[in-house]
């Protein structure tokens, strides 16, 4: 057996899980990166993935893999850089475990990230928000679920991973109504809910009772919605909405667009950017009151 397989396994179990306590999303992203890399290296070297060695993953192969991502898989430069970051992390670990490959490791670590273009932030106007929410057919169960899900996202600015991970117990509708999340970097926060969102969630939670640990926005079988499924639901409603709201035809709307929309609504309501940063990113230690709640759009 080559040294690559046990080193890669130890990298996940020792470095990512035990030492860094990496999040499931990080582990999943890194796993996909190395699955793509090993598949590419196997085709390029005519070796089975199990037969690949550390020496096979040299700088020219890594560079060719990054070109393959952009040219053949049509990945963006940002995605290419994310894959490279995972590879750099693995090779830093290899340098410690197998110093005999120090020269090759150094050349891989010298591969630079690619500069990316910063695009203008896309967000929805109030008219477009109304059109999107109105496109959710509330005579159906899935329509009411999607309406509640998009309402929460637009008001709170949750990331799609945070939204997908919500359970019923994360919602507090009494005094100091809020939604509890543990987001990127394991940052814990409680985001306040305004009256309109509280009303939507109260109706949604009362529609189908469940256990506190049940998904807040489940599939029709009661399972947790995946991030891909949530994006598909949004795309479905956007197709309907664009026929009645022409301005949406020129916009590429994703769940991250709804997060941007929440930030812009706060900004347009007169909130300071530091308040918006706290709203979207950081932990709120006292959930009994929220500063500047009176200027948050309802």
């Amino acid at each position: 057996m080559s040294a690559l397989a046990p080193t890669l396994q130890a990298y996940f179990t020792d470095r990512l899980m035990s030492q860094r306590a990496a999040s499931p999303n990080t582990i999943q992203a890194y796993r996909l990166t190395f699955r793509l890399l090993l598949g590419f290296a196997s085709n390029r070297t005519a070796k089975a993935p199990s037969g690949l060695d550390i020496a096979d993953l040299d700088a020219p192969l890594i560079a060719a893999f990054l070109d393959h991502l952009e040219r053949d898989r049509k990945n963006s430069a940002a995605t290419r850089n994310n894959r490279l970051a995972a590879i750099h992390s693995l090779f830093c670990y290899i340098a410690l475990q197998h110093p005999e490959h120090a020269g090759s490791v150094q050349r891989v670590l010298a591969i630079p990230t690619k500069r990316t273009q910063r695009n203008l932030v896309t967000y929805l106007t109030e008219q477009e928000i109304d059109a999107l929410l109105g496109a959710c057919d509330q005579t159906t169960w899935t329509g009411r679920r999607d309406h509640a899900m998009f309402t929460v996202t637009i008001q709170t600015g949750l990331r799609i991973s945070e939204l997908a991970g919500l359970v019923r117990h994360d919602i507090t509708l009494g005094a100091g109504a809020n939604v509890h999340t543990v987001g990127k970097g394991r940052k814990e926060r409680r985001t306040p809910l305004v009256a309109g969102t509280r009303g939507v969630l109260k109706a949604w939670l009362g529609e189908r009772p469940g256990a506190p640990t049940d998904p807040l926005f489940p599939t029709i079988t009661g399972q947790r919605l995946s991030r891909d499924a949530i994006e598909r639901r949004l795309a479905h409603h956007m197709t309907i909405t664009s026929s009645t709201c022409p301005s949406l035809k020129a916009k590429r709307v994703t769940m991250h667009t709804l997060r941007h929309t929440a930030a812009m609504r706060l900004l347009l309501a007169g909130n300071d950017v530091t308040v918006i940063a706290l709203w979207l990113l950081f932990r709120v230690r006292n959930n009994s009151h929220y500063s500047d709640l009176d200027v948050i759009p309802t």
Side-chain angles (χ1 to χ4, degrees):
M1 179 186 295
S2 72
L4 179 60
T7 301
L8 190 57
Q9 180 178 0
Y11 170 76
F12 274 95
T13 57
D14 296 340
R15 174 57 61 87
L16 289 185
M17 296 180 182
S18 298
Q19 297 174 12
R20 293 183 56 189
S23 70
N25 289 335
T26 298
I27 292 172
Q28 183 179 14
Y30 279 31
R31 181 177 60 192
L32 176 58
T33 295
F34 299 132
R35 188 174 69 191
L36 293 172
L37 174 60
L38 294 180
F40 176 83
S42 177
N43 291 332
R44 191 176 179 89
T45 62
K47 294 182 179 180
S50 58
L52 292 170
D53 204 348
I54 294 173
D56 294 316
L57 305 183
D58 56 14
L61 184 139
I62 299 299
F65 169 67
L66 296 173
D67 290 340
H68 159 73
L69 292 177
E70 292 189 272
R71 183 184 63 252
D72 301 326
R73 293 183 61 84
K74 309 301 181 184
N75 289 164
S76 66
T79 299
R80 178 250 192 214
N81 289 343
N82 288 338
R83 303 294 184 212
L84 179 58
I87 293 169
H88 279 172
S89 177
L90 171 64
F91 273 74
C92 286
Y93 182 75
I94 290 175
L96 297 174
Q97 302 300 316
H98 297 280
E100 67 273 17
H101 293 285
S104 179
V105 167
Q106 186 176 16
R107 287 186 287 274
V108 170
L109 293 178
I111 298 175
T113 58
K114 179 171 286 189
R115 294 186 65 178
T116 58
Q117 179 179 351
R118 292 183 177 271
N119 297 320
L120 291 173
V121 173
T122 301
Y123 65 95
L124 302 185
T125 65
E126 292 299 321
Q127 180 183 3
E128 292 166 345
I129 291 170
D130 292 341
L132 171 60
L133 296 179
C136 300
D137 183 3
Q138 296 193 59
T139 65
T140 67
W141 181 85
T142 55
R144 292 190 295 275
R145 178 201 62 195
D146 294 348
H147 178 268
M149 184 166 61
F150 299 149
T151 298
V152 169
T153 308
I154 291 167
Q155 190 248 289
T156 63
L158 297 186
R159 296 181 177 89
I160 188 172
S161 58
E162 297 168 341
L163 188 71
L166 288 178
V167 296
R168 296 171 66 92
H169 183 65
D170 289 325
I171 302 298
T172 299
L173 295 179
N178 66 83
V179 54
H180 170 261
T181 55
V182 179
K184 189 174 182 180
R186 288 190 168 81
K187 291 185 176 70
E188 181 182 2
R189 72 183 189 276
R190 291 185 179 272
T191 306
L193 298 172
V194 298
T197 307
R198 289 200 303 269
V200 170
L201 283 173
K202 183 177 181 180
W204 172 246
L205 288 170
E207 181 169 335
R208 189 168 78 171
T213 56
D214 285 349
L216 179 62
F217 302 116
T219 65
I220 57 176
T221 60
Q223 303 302 308
R224 190 184 303 275
L225 275 172
S226 68
R227 290 184 292 179
D228 286 345
I230 293 173
E231 288 286 11
R232 286 195 297 270
R233 294 305 301 169
L234 177 61
H236 167 74
H237 292 295
M238 286 305 303
T239 300
I240 300 172
T241 306
S242 60
S243 63
T244 59
C245 188
S247 62
L248 287 172
K249 294 181 180 179
K251 294 184 177 181
R252 180 178 178 271
V253 178
T254 66
M255 291 300 294
H256 204 69
T257 306
L258 303 190
R259 177 170 164 81
H260 289 164
T261 299
M264 286 302 300
R265 295 178 90 200
L266 289 166
L267 185 63
L268 294 173
N271 287 277
D272 186 85
V273 291
T274 56
V275 174
I276 298 173
L278 288 169
W279 178 283
L280 295 177
L281 300 176
F282 301 112
R283 179 177 180 177
V284 177
R285 295 183 181 275
N286 182 1
N287 66 349
S288 62
H289 68 279
Y290 301 92
S291 62
D292 297 315
L293 184 57
D294 55 325
V295 296
I296 293 170
T298 59

